[in-house]
Amino acid sequence: MVENWRLLDTGLHDAFYNMALDEAIVLARSKKLVPNTIRFFRWEPSAVSIGYFQSMEEEVDTAACDKKGIDYVRRRTGGGAVYHDRNGELTYSIIMNQDHRLISPDFQETYETLCSGLVRGLRRLSVQAEFKPINDIVVEGKKISGNAQTRGMNVVHQHGTILLKVDPSLMFSVLKVPNEKIRDKMVKSVEERVTSLERVLKRDVGFDELKESLVRGFEEVFGIKLVDEALTSFEEQTASRLIIEKYSTTEWNFKR
Amino acid sequence: MNKAQLKVEGGKLIKVQLEIEDKKIKKVKITGDFFLHPEELIDDMEKAVAGASLDEKVIADRMI
């Protein structure tokens, strides 16, 4: 029997909703109200997310963000600051029970297992993607996907990005740099270390095409069937609450 | 405010900010792009070293 998982495509939302909904799904899964879930989403407006342990003041040029109408939010996962471009990035989340056969006590091993669904999906698009420890996916040595995982309440939550298009200078216009002199250098270094589907395939790749391919990749590698399903009202209500109580608050976003 | 940072080669960055009073740690803030599970442990670690004398062993013992 192939396991059925839920497929959610929540489309374009702001940063606070996006992060609140991830946590709401985690809570719903921990209460066994929903099946294991893979969610695709995007960011409108474009946004910066920072890792749980990062300092908002140190990482993000919030004045520049305010001016450009770019959101900034702290994630519940560790890792670095990420610029989520509305038009250039697809984000996914995997939310599943921790005692599942795919989950190892070892984080490293689990990153590799869960990322292998993405790798397979990308290869279906003729992108020679490979997992690169600790938690990246690279093509020809350049990063195309970053991933972050956390666990709790018998739930594993991994989310990450896939770049369709990349604009390093825009990225650094919203991230803090140690000093202006090295801004160009940092932009250049990202140019050399990061790639996108557009750069690899030398054509535009649409969001639908990418999502379809990733769905097949997850299904094949995880041995599951992804079934389109809606959010539950528990998740919607919990997300609304978490926006107000957590993700949109200064207390949370500037807590470190 | 004292600051130090350590970048693991090819890896993560850990920054530490330290407030010192009477040769003891008054407050510490640990930030960076690292991972720690469960995440809330960081608050316990920061609280645990507050009041510690400036001795590597004392600080390390309190963190564990």
Side-chain angles (χ1 to χ4, degrees):
Chain A
M1 250 299 269
V2 179
E3 278 170 51
N4 281 344
W5 285 29
R6 176 173 61 159
L7 177 64
L8 283 176
D9 184 352
T10 59
L12 292 158
H13 283 282
D14 70 33
F16 316 112
Y17 176 88
N18 277 336
M19 293 297 94
L21 184 58
D22 261 10
E23 185 167 338
I25 299 168
V26 167
L27 291 169
R29 185 68 192 92
S30 77
K31 292 174 187 293
K32 300 194 166 70
L33 299 174
V34 296
N36 290 335
T37 297
I38 293 179
R39 171 192 174 206
F40 292 121
F41 58 107
R42 290 169 58 198
W43 308 69
E44 184 175 71
S46 296
V48 181
S49 75
I50 58 167
Y52 183 93
F53 305 103
Q54 291 188 299
S55 156
M56 187 66 84
E57 289 103 332
E58 283 173 26
E59 300 296 333
V60 181
D61 186 343
T62 53
C65 288
D66 290 340
K67 216 163 136 198
K68 289 168 191 273
I70 289 173
D71 287 342
Y72 35 93
V73 70
R74 178 181 306 280
R75 298 190 304 271
R76 64 192 299 271
T77 53
V82 181
Y83 170 66
H84 305 277
D85 189 76
R86 183 199 183 281
N87 300 312
E89 185 209 274
L90 179 69
T91 312
Y92 77 90
S93 301
I94 299 171
I95 291 140
M96 62 190 294
N97 57 307
Q98 194 174 331
D99 47 18
H100 191 276
R101 61 183 163 80
L102 290 170
I103 303 299
S104 154
D106 183 61
F107 273 74
Q108 188 57 63
E109 212 177 303
T110 307
Y111 271 123
E112 180 150 15
T113 306
L114 298 185
C115 285
S116 63
L118 296 163
V119 167
R120 177 77 64 95
L122 291 171
R123 288 192 181 170
R124 291 180 66 95
L125 292 171
S126 308
V127 174
Q128 290 315 304
E130 291 169 279
F131 176 72
K132 185 186 172 200
I134 303 166
N135 50 3
D136 291 334
I137 295 171
V138 299
V139 182
E140 292 157 11
K142 296 185 183 192
K143 180 166 168 172
I144 200 162
S145 162
N147 305 278
Q149 192 188 122
T150 187
R151 300 173 180 204
M153 306 175 288
N154 192 35
V155 177
V156 172
H157 173 206
Q158 179 170 311
H159 52 196
T161 59
I162 301 105
L163 285 173
L164 290 88
K165 291 177 188 163
V166 61
D167 181 351
S169 60
L170 181 59
M171 198 171 125
F172 278 107
S173 70
V174 292
L175 297 181
K176 285 254 174 86
V177 293
N179 60 65
E180 283 305 317
K181 275 188 199 159
I182 73 159
R183 183 185 293 272
D184 287 349
K185 242 190 205 164
M186 292 181 81
V187 170
K188 227 184 194 163
S189 126
V190 168
E191 293 273 2
E192 285 160 12
R193 288 183 295 112
V194 175
T195 193
S196 66
L197 292 177
E198 185 189 44
R199 287 189 181 190
V200 173
L201 295 175
K202 299 184 177 60
R203 68 174 176 90
D204 265 336
V205 175
F207 286 98
D208 287 340
E209 183 185 359
L210 174 60
K211 283 185 275 193
E212 245 168 67
S213 216
L214 294 176
V215 165
R216 297 287 98 78
F218 285 127
E219 287 183 334
E220 288 171 16
V221 174
F222 294 180
I224 59 168
K225 170 96 186 110
L226 281 165
V227 182
D228 278 303
E229 263 179 76
L231 284 170
T232 59
S233 57
F234 172 86
E235 289 166 314
E236 281 171 358
Q237 285 162 15
T238 304
S240 302
R241 178 175 63 77
L242 287 170
I243 291 170
I244 296 166
E245 292 178 0
K246 186 171 179 180
Y247 289 100
S248 72
T249 66
T250 306
E251 191 192 354
W252 167 256
N253 288 319
F254 288 81
K255 80 176 199 148
R256 301 196 79 76
Chain B
M1 182 73 77
N2 297 267
K3 287 186 184 183
Q5 58 183 58
L6 173 73
K7 168 102 172 121
V8 183
E9 205 178 321
K12 306 296 179 188
L13 176 72
I14 300 178
K15 295 186 201 179
V16 178
Q17 287 177 37
L18 212 55
E19 268 179 61
I20 295 166
E21 207 176 69
D22 301 334
K23 294 183 181 170
K24 283 191 170 137
I25 294 173
K26 191 180 174 205
K27 208 179 156 193
V28 64
K29 192 170 94 166
I30 307 165
T31 58
D33 62 354
F34 54 89
F35 289 85
L36 175 74
H37 304 283
E39 285 76 7
E40 295 75 21
L41 267 183
I42 199 77
D43 296 318
D44 299 340
M45 288 167 72
E46 289 177 347
K47 277 188 200 123
V49 294
S53 54
L54 298 174
D55 178 280
E56 198 174 317
K57 188 173 179 325
V58 171
I59 295 168
D61 284 348
R62 286 203 185 202
M63 283 240 187
I64 299 165

